[in-house]
Amino acid sequence: MAVGKEIRNKIDNVENTQKITRAMQMVAASKMRRTQERMRQGRPYAEKIRQMIGHLANSSPEYRHTYMVSRDVKRVGYIVVSSDRGLCGGLNVNLFRMLVREMVDWQSKKVEVDLGLIGNKAGAFFRSVGGNVVAALHDVGEKPTVADLVGGIKVMLDAYEEGRIDKLFIVSNQFVNTMTQRPVSRQLLPLDAEDDSSMKHRWDYIYEPDARQLIEGLVMRFIESQVYQAVIENGACEQAAKMVAMKAATDNAETLIEELKLIYNNARQAAITQEIAEIVGGAAAV
Amino acid sequence: MATIHCDIVSAEHEIFSGAVTMISLVGSIGELGILPGHAPLLTGIRPGPVHLTLENGEDEVFFASGGFLEVQPGIITILADTAARAEDLDEAAAVEAREAAERALADQAAGTDFSLAAAQLAEALAQSRTLEELRKRRRR
């Protein structure tokens, strides 16, 4: 029957799209478990080293590394952790929105902003929006190693050391649960002192072998682990957000198909009724 | 007996967390034995065994391939590059790694990276040392 051919076609299209979104949902669900596992395993180290650095910043060491000294802020750096791929709902958009708000804040204080980008989406976004991008890492993949990330981090650390930027932040998504991911911005440099009143008195570590070497090594390790953990966590967020987004898309396709089927059946019924009426009318005329 | 809380974490996972009465390990400038009440200390650690004496007098041995040690009044934190329970160390693999590293060192003419080979050798030696100590302890 020729009736409703267009509608039939439309239904087929939506069904095909639904197949794709359903497959993506399932892929994301299985990847999510793996990425979350990886994130959980890395957390204790990242937390411990953050505590250790917090203690260090609270101490009054004989040697103060440039990373520990606050300077007048004329220019700040941001390491932006985004996903490589899209179709993950508002994950990246929310992150960028927060970042842009902070950038506007800085600009109103006459502070310039440098960006170090990790992930394809951040690259694409700031290419169209503009912004002073000093480093960009693409195609980080799902299983990044610290070595993959070091290049991008190094640019920002060098900039800090040479005094081109006076503060370094990292913005990434924090994994709350499967439904919720929260964009957060944290200060990496200068090192933030942990707020602990028991630490306020003057004290210092015994350093072996010597403070300078040790602090440098520890701080490098700290930055690396924080960035690495942020990338891993962002990966877990991406898969969770993708799963939720694809589930919503699959559900939407389902309702769309139902609506279209209703219209199609209505049209078909109308056509049949009309045909019968025509036949009856024709028979009566004879 | 006085105890102090000790955490050992590696980049991959948390390895140990609990109260101990003593820790001994190889710091970057020599062996260290740490008892509760130690002054705040920050040091690098060399590849080698980490001994923990637990509250009930039992011993635990771990292997750390390097990292950092922090002593705070109430807590000791060991950030290990990689760490493993000594029981999990594979003796055959350790011996093999040592031999490979020794070969690489002897084979310098072939243009192997000397410092890398030396580091590998140190790590392999430390692993077999950990295993030996573990065996001694078992016999006792």
Side-chain angles (χ1 to χ4, degrees):
Chain A
M1 213 189 319
V3 173
K5 187 102 195 315
E6 306 86 0
I7 305 179
R8 195 64 253 172
N9 277 342
K10 211 168 192 175
I11 293 178
D12 286 347
N13 281 342
V14 177
E15 272 175 353
N16 284 335
T17 311
Q18 193 191 24
K19 272 182 211 155
I20 296 171
T21 56
R22 183 172 290 144
M24 289 181 79
Q25 180 197 336
M26 286 195 269
V27 170
S30 82
K31 276 186 182 166
M32 185 182 73
R33 265 191 294 276
R34 252 175 296 147
T35 49
Q36 277 182 28
E37 186 56 28
R38 212 172 296 138
M39 172 186 80
R40 237 192 319 275
Q41 282 173 346
R43 255 186 190 168
Y45 190 88
E47 263 162 35
K48 287 289 170 217
I49 199 161
R50 196 181 309 149
Q51 277 173 12
M52 212 187 254
I53 290 288
H55 294 162
L56 192 64
N58 262 322
S59 73
S60 348
E62 55 204 273
Y63 164 74
R64 288 198 80 81
H65 196 277
T66 38
Y67 290 159
M68 300 162 78
V69 186
S70 304
R71 302 187 285 231
D72 276 352
V73 181
K74 287 186 225 66
R75 203 180 184 94
V76 296
Y78 275 93
I79 295 179
V80 186
V81 182
S82 72
S83 69
D84 272 342
R85 294 168 190 218
L87 293 182
C88 45
L91 186 75
N92 289 314
V93 179
N94 288 342
L95 185 77
F96 297 150
R97 193 178 298 146
M98 184 192 74
L99 177 58
V100 168
R101 215 177 298 133
E102 286 197 14
M103 283 166 71
V104 171
D105 253 11
W106 284 120
Q107 261 149 20
S108 67
K109 286 184 223 156
K110 300 264 180 288
V111 174
E112 287 183 77
V113 181
D114 281 352
L115 298 165
L117 310 175
I118 299 177
N120 293 348
K121 285 287 149 187
F125 179 78
F126 285 102
R127 211 168 15 244
S128 64
V129 173
N132 189 11
V133 179
V134 292
L137 283 177
H138 296 296
D139 297 313
V140 187
E142 277 148 26
K143 267 185 256 167
T145 58
V146 173
D148 291 339
L149 305 172
V150 164
I153 305 170
K154 191 86 174 69
V155 176
M156 300 308 271
L157 288 187
D158 285 349
Y160 184 87
E161 244 166 271
E162 288 160 19
R164 270 180 284 133
I165 56 174
D166 306 303
K167 264 177 194 287
L168 180 62
F169 296 88
I170 182 164
V171 287
S172 66
N173 282 294
Q174 188 185 26
F175 188 91
V176 183
N177 56 42
T178 311
M179 300 300 291
T180 322
Q181 296 86 32
R182 194 185 308 134
V184 285
S185 164
R186 273 184 297 135
Q187 181 174 327
L188 286 181
L189 293 174
L191 301 174
D192 246 345
E194 204 171 89
D195 228 6
D196 185 347
S197 51
S198 70
M199 292 275 174
K200 286 294 174 240
H201 63 96
R202 252 187 90 82
W203 64 279
D204 194 12
Y205 286 109
I206 304 168
Y207 298 94
E208 289 180 4
D210 86 300
R212 189 195 152 88
Q213 208 182 327
L214 208 58
I215 291 174
E216 259 175 19
L218 193 61
V219 168
M220 271 311 285
R221 191 65 58 79
F222 167 70
I223 306 276
E224 281 170 15
S225 89
Q226 294 303 306
V227 176
Y228 177 75
Q229 188 62 21
V231 172
I232 293 286
E233 189 157 347
N234 200 67
C237 290
E238 179 191 351
Q239 297 305 335
K242 186 170 284 179
M243 190 187 79
V244 172
M246 289 299 113
K247 171 133 184 31
T250 310
D251 292 349
N252 286 344
E254 194 62 53
T255 42
L256 195 55
I257 288 171
E258 258 161 40
E259 272 168 29
L260 285 171
K261 272 198 176 143
L262 194 67
I263 296 171
Y264 171 74
N265 285 339
N266 272 345
R268 195 173 61 113
Q269 202 65 53
I272 291 169
T273 313
Q274 194 189 350
E275 223 167 279
I276 291 173
E278 274 165 12
I279 292 168
V280 171
V286 173
Chain B
M1 206 166 166
T3 60
I4 185 163
H5 188 84
C6 171
D7 284 321
I8 304 182
V9 291
S10 79
E12 289 92 34
H13 43 194
E14 186 164 36
I15 293 175
F16 177 88
S17 177
V20 297
T21 56
M22 178 168 162
I23 295 178
S24 58
L25 49 74
V26 193
S28 52
I29 54 171
E31 298 210 0
L32 286 165
I34 294 160
L35 293 165
H38 196 286
L41 168 75
L42 196 61
T43 182
I45 53 180
R46 289 236 198 110
V50 178
H51 291 280
L52 305 180
T53 312
L54 306 185
E55 231 173 327
N56 55 13
E58 273 177 39
D59 267 6
E60 285 232 35
V61 186
F62 298 91
F63 172 77
S65 70
F68 294 95
L69 166 82
E70 186 210 27
V71 181
Q72 280 284 333
I75 189 166
I76 295 174
T77 313
I78 297 176
L79 294 175
D81 295 343
T82 56
R85 280 182 187 273
E87 285 88 349
D88 299 342
L89 281 182
D90 184 352
E91 184 157 14
V95 170
E96 198 176 302
R98 189 175 67 197
E99 277 167 4
E102 273 168 358
R103 258 201 313 281
L105 271 184
D107 208 26
Q108 261 183 77
T112 34
D113 186 343
F114 181 76
S115 57
L116 186 70
Q120 277 171 353
L121 180 62
E123 192 172 317
L125 277 175
Q127 278 195 8
S128 22
R129 196 145 38 93
T130 311
L131 282 165
E132 250 157 54
E133 265 182 58
L134 191 67
R135 215 177 304 133
K136 243 189 285 166
R137 197 171 302 261
R138 286 237 182 87
R139 220 175 290 142
R140 238 188 277 148

